[in-house]
Amino acid sequence: MSELMQYGSLDRREVVARLLSGRKKLLVVGGIGSASFDVMAAGDHDNNYYLWGAMGGAAMIGLGLATARPDYSVLVLTGDGDMLMGFGALATIAIRKPANLTVAVLDNGHFGQTGWQESHTGRGLALEQVARTCGFSWSDKITNLNGIDDLRERLHTRSGAKFATIKIRASTSPRVPPPRDGVYVKTRFRSSLGHYPI
């Protein structure tokens, strides 16, 4: 392993449970793999949209939701591997400027879904700086639970697109798989927003 690795010390399950506590009407997109397991472990909810595939697509799905439903706050909670695969989404979100969207990246510096190879963030790439350069209204690197509390307060503000890199430990947690039936997840999510099944 490289000497340039930069990892955090936060526990991913504690972070997500704390971030989603008292969530109100928050819509949550869980990125592929561990991020969706973390969201599920914090408590299943009709307003959770879990991804079992579409690696790299979480942020753009969140942008679509935020655009279609400006009356809701939207949180994309994903991993650094997913965000790196959908890197261009940061520029698109910054240009579209959704006031109700927050992208939070659980950054362990590895591609956990493909065998724990070191990721670009593990070699020092700072996603929050990329988001800031693209034009997000707020971005930060979070390394402690006080930062999680601050982010939770920001989720419901309508002050522009927000981005957080959350530095977590490079370790695995027990899998807590969400419902795997995509039609069920989609229909439940749509119903919670008052739409009929399609």
Side-chain angles (χ1 to χ4, degrees):
M1 295 185 128
S2 167
E3 294 179 4
L4 298 177
M5 291 180 181
Q6 297 180 13
Y7 309 128
S9 60
L10 292 171
D11 176 79
R12 62 186 311 141
R13 290 285 159 81
E14 183 178 14
V15 162
V16 174
R18 194 161 177 144
L19 191 58
L20 296 182
S21 65
R23 59 184 283 173
K24 304 174 187 169
K25 296 184 349 179
L26 184 68
L27 304 180
V28 178
V29 177
I32 185 172
S34 295
S36 276
F37 301 158
D38 297 333
V39 172
M40 181 69 180
D44 193 20
H45 195 287
D46 289 352
N47 287 0
N48 289 348
Y49 193 82
Y50 307 103
L51 296 180
W52 278 96
M55 187 167 182
M60 292 305 285
I61 290 170
L63 174 60
L65 281 172
T67 302
R69 296 305 300 257
D71 50 330
Y72 283 80
S73 295
V74 177
L75 169 65
V76 173
L77 193 57
T78 193
D80 52 311
D82 178 72
M83 191 70 255
L84 286 164
M85 187 166 281
F87 213 46
L90 295 176
T92 302
I93 291 169
I95 288 172
R96 294 289 303 272
K97 302 185 185 312
N100 56 336
L101 177 63
T102 302
V103 178
V105 174
L106 299 166
D107 181 10
N108 61 13
H110 289 85
F111 294 106
Q113 290 300 303
T114 58
W116 284 95
Q117 301 90 352
E118 187 179 11
S119 79
H120 304 71
T121 61
R123 291 179 175 256
L125 177 69
L127 291 172
E128 72 281 0
Q129 291 181 16
V130 175
R132 185 177 306 124
T133 299
C134 286
F136 275 64
S137 67
W138 178 88
S139 69
D140 203 358
K141 176 173 71 175
I142 295 175
T143 59
N144 57 53
L145 292 177
N146 289 335
I148 297 301
D149 293 340
D150 176 66
L151 177 60
R152 187 179 62 236
E153 294 300 317
R154 293 177 185 275
L155 294 177
H156 299 284
T157 64
R158 303 298 169 93
S159 56
K162 296 168 282 295
F163 185 95
T165 300
I166 303 171
K167 291 293 192 179
I168 60 171
R169 277 197 301 271
S171 61
T172 57
S173 299
R175 291 183 174 220
V176 183
R180 195 173 183 118
D181 184 334
V183 173
Y184 166 75
V185 171
K186 177 195 71 175
T187 301
R188 184 180 74 165
F189 190 81
R190 284 177 50 82
S191 295
S192 75
L193 295 175
H195 299 291
Y196 293 107
I198 55 173

